[in-house]
Amino acid sequence: MPKITQTQLLDFASLSGDFNPVHLDENFAKNSYFGEQILYGIYQVFYTLEAHFKKYPTHILHSLKATFLAPVGVKNHFTLQLLDSKLSHNTGGGGGANPFSSKTLGFFIKGEIMGKIEFFFLKPQKREKKSKESTLKTP
């Protein structure tokens, strides 16, 4: 993961409305339970989504489930690893939108899993070609 700047964290706080000093104030965070400035959990989710959609821009996200096992410090470098990937052949004939595939990614620091995100994707829809028929209006 690229280095996250204080400016990016402040921008994120402004957008999210979450100004918890454990995420924004290094001195406060040093004296907190965590002992260091902690990255927003949802920031990890967004980073993971961005990495996925850069590689697979046509996927349609149905839902996700994030599990945070340990806090990730802002200064820590974490890596993403694929933990599981499944393809469903369920066409959703029951009328509901059933996930077509799922992927589970973990974020690791020095080989230790810190959390995981399970993504569920819908099958991409085929686009129908529009016909060029003209409509004739009669009086």
Side-chain angles (χ1 to χ4, degrees):
M1 177 169 185
K3 182 175 178 0
I4 297 168
T5 66
Q6 192 66 25
T7 301
Q8 288 170 314
L9 290 171
L10 290 169
D11 288 346
F12 187 79
S14 294
L15 290 170
S16 69
D18 184 348
F19 292 92
N20 187 327
V22 77
H23 300 299
L24 301 172
D25 185 333
E26 187 174 2
N27 290 324
F28 175 89
K30 282 181 185 176
N31 296 312
S32 73
Y33 171 81
F34 301 107
E36 65 180 323
Q37 195 174 354
I38 300 301
L39 186 61
Y40 290 95
I42 195 68
Y43 199 101
Q44 297 167 59
V45 172
F46 290 153
Y47 174 79
T48 307
L49 278 170
E50 180 182 33
H52 177 83
F53 283 113
K54 279 183 179 178
K55 190 170 183 178
Y56 304 103
T58 61
H59 282 185
I60 302 167
L61 183 66
H62 175 271
S63 58
L64 64 84
K65 177 182 176 185
T67 305
F68 302 105
L69 303 171
V72 174
V74 169
K75 293 183 178 180
N76 293 123
H77 174 77
F78 74 80
T79 58
L80 295 175
Q81 294 179 20
L82 180 65
L83 301 176
D84 190 25
S85 184
K86 296 178 184 168
L87 180 62
S88 169
H89 296 288
N90 184 346
T91 60
N98 295 325
F100 177 74
S101 63
S102 66
K103 184 178 282 191
T104 304
L105 296 169
F107 18 98
F108 290 78
I109 296 175
K110 297 178 183 174
E112 182 180 349
I113 190 165
M114 307 306 280
K116 66 180 181 175
I117 304 174
E118 297 172 83
F119 298 104
F120 302 93
F121 300 98
L122 297 177
K123 182 177 182 178
Q125 300 295 314
K126 292 181 181 179
R127 294 185 183 192
E128 294 181 22
K129 293 181 181 180
K130 292 184 179 180
S131 66
K132 294 186 178 184
E133 294 177 8
S134 61
T135 306
L136 180 61
K137 292 184 179 181
T138 57

